Amino acid sequence: GRAIAEQRTLLFEANDPLFAPWFPLIQKYQMGGSIYTPFFWPDGSHGVLSLYRYANTAFPNEIVDLLERLGDDLAAFLRQRQVTQTLHAIRILQKTMLSAGDIALRARDGAQMLQEICDALVHSGLFNAAFIVRPNAEGVFEALAMAGPNVDWILARRWTIDPQDIPNGQSLTS
């Protein structure tokens, strides 16, 4: 907690008073000093890179710089991995949407086109459900097309355009 709160690398000896509640475990597992370096996950939440030494050993001063660089590298790697995953998902979605144009050209009617678009969105792997709805004259949504496992629940519930008509304000548009 302190490394995150202070946003800096901290070194501790095994006999530090802060570790008093853990002294029995520290002794049992022959843990010596510890070092903690904070970093940020791509979503902005905090993480800590922690290392422990065996009893009767100390961290050389150089390890602080090394661990701080490692924490920075870890945070950069995690950010890059998130960007890569996002770009991959965008490419899949772009391909899926391009296929929607092909679907529109091949479709015999509107219902077939909407169903094939939902199927393609679920088949892309980015979504586990897709449905296209529109409100009827009473403002209740009717499913025009749907795809994915267990999406039949959409028809089992009355969904309205007005959130006041839905328990807990849950509607497809709110």
Side-chain angles (χ1 to χ4, degrees):
R2 278 186 54 197
I4 290 174
E6 296 179 21
Q7 278 302 297
R8 65 184 182 96
T9 299
L10 298 174
L11 281 163
F12 293 98
E13 293 299 322
N15 59 359
D16 190 295
L18 288 173
F19 291 102
W22 298 281
F23 283 158
L25 285 174
I26 290 170
Q27 291 170 345
K28 177 179 179 180
Y29 294 105
Q30 299 178 348
M31 297 172 82
S34 56
I35 186 168
Y36 305 91
T37 297
F39 68 91
F40 288 99
W41 290 96
D43 67 1
S45 62
H46 297 280
V48 175
L49 183 58
S50 305
L51 296 174
Y52 292 85
R53 298 288 301 234
Y54 285 109
N56 301 321
T57 60
F59 283 102
N61 289 337
E62 296 80 20
I63 201 78
V64 174
D65 294 334
L66 178 65
L67 192 58
E68 287 176 345
R69 284 197 311 264
L70 184 59
D72 292 343
D73 291 347
L74 177 60
F77 168 77
L78 292 169
R79 282 191 307 274
Q80 184 59 37
R81 191 175 106 200
Q82 183 182 37
V83 167
T84 300
Q85 289 171 336
T86 300
L87 289 174
H88 180 71
I90 288 170
R91 280 194 293 274
I92 291 172
L93 184 58
Q94 285 174 330
K95 287 180 185 177
T96 303
M97 297 314 292
L98 286 173
S99 74
D102 293 338
I103 290 168
L105 292 174
R106 287 192 320 262
R108 292 183 299 267
D109 59 36
Q112 178 191 5
M113 178 184 68
L114 296 178
Q115 184 59 52
E116 288 186 20
I117 288 171
C118 285
D119 291 340
L121 288 168
V122 170
H123 182 72
S124 74
L126 294 176
F127 310 100
N128 65 348
F131 40 87
I132 299 171
V133 297
R134 89 168 157 212
N136 62 18
E138 290 82 39
V140 176
F141 284 104
E142 295 176 339
L144 303 176
M146 54 187 165
N150 306 314
V151 294
D152 52 338
W153 62 269
I154 190 73
L155 297 176
R157 185 164 178 189
R158 182 179 185 271
W159 300 92
T160 179
I161 202 164
D162 185 358
Q164 293 177 357
D165 293 342
I166 299 294
N168 303 322
Q170 298 171 350
S171 79
L172 294 176
T173 60
S174 62

